[in-house]
Amino acid sequence: MEPRDFQKAIEGLLFERAEAFESVGSTNDVVAEWTHEGTTGICLAFAEEQTRGRGRSGRRWFTPPGSALAFSLLLDLTAANQATLGKLSGLGALAVCEGLESLYGLSPRIKWPNDVLLDGKKVCGVLAEAHWSGERMQALILGIGINVARTAVPPAELLDFPAASVEEIIGASVDRPGLLRKILERVLHWKERLDEKEFINSWQQRLAYLNESIRLERLGAEPTVGVVKGLRDDGSLKLQVDGEPQYFQAGEIHLRPLSN
Ligand code: BT5
């Protein structure tokens, strides 16, 4: 992205610090570094390429040069707590959905807790990280990676879920600065409204596999098979398991449609 396009994408948005890089390890780490330098206001780090992009639990996230949108936001959420953290992936995923809906008329779905799907394939992953100082949450970082061009999509053998790019789905090229702007606007909109019912409703409306059977996989636990029933107010997933509702907090969790 040309520097002037990046500047246009963020024009009028109030960031304490916003920078676009050609290549970094991970934009989440760039923002974490800024907090160590004393930055506390809302910030944005964007990169054309990530050489050590990561997903949850240290998994890799691929961002080849110029093919994606990869960025991280430092969120100035005062009084943030564990409950806020449980909603952050939803915040990122919802903003990406709204960007894709408004610019391209798509109907993306959110594979709870942190993936955005188009035609059942992953086009975006969200990584929410909190930094703690003892009991106190010091920084909340929201990282978003979107496959824009086909070249962003890693080879199938490196994937644990089918993936695609936005351009493959729409069959046309994507205005990366325009999409970035739209997503930033929606993140900034919703971050003030995480405790409102409208936020949970908007997230829930886009849930993948609603009323469908899925297998939920968690580290160190037997998989749970159930029917997706929606979200609780704290962003946890409601599953109907053997006729009883069960709730799951975001964490090291994977959903798999049973029909696949
Ligand atoms: C995620 O983790 O999906 C979160 C990805 C977050 C990436 C953003 S980019 C900006 C910021 N900086 C970072 O370093 N990260 C954030 P998870 O649900 O754990 O999925 C990881 C899995 O997705 C990997 O194990 C691969 O199988 C798959 N994967 C890796 N790169 C992919 C890509 N470009 N497209 C689709 N799937 C991918």
Side-chain angles (χ1 to χ4, degrees), residues 86-108:
K87 295 178 184 172
L88 274 200
S89 299
L91 164 65
L94 173 57
V96 171
C97 286
E98 290 180 325
L100 294 170
E101 288 162 12
S102 67
L103 293 183
Y104 299 108
L106 296 164
S107 302

Side-chain angles (χ1 to χ4, degrees), residues 3 13 39 90 148 187 191 207 226 241:
L13 305 179
T39 310
V148 171
V187 170
K191 86 173 175 65
L207 267 193
V241 182

Side-chain angles (χ1 to χ4, degrees), residues 216-235:
L216 184 142
E217 297 165 357
R218 281 173 297 167
L219 218 60
E222 284 293 306
T224 304
V225 171
V227 177
V228 175
K229 284 296 175 191
L231 297 173
R232 201 159 59 176
D233 283 354
D234 63 356

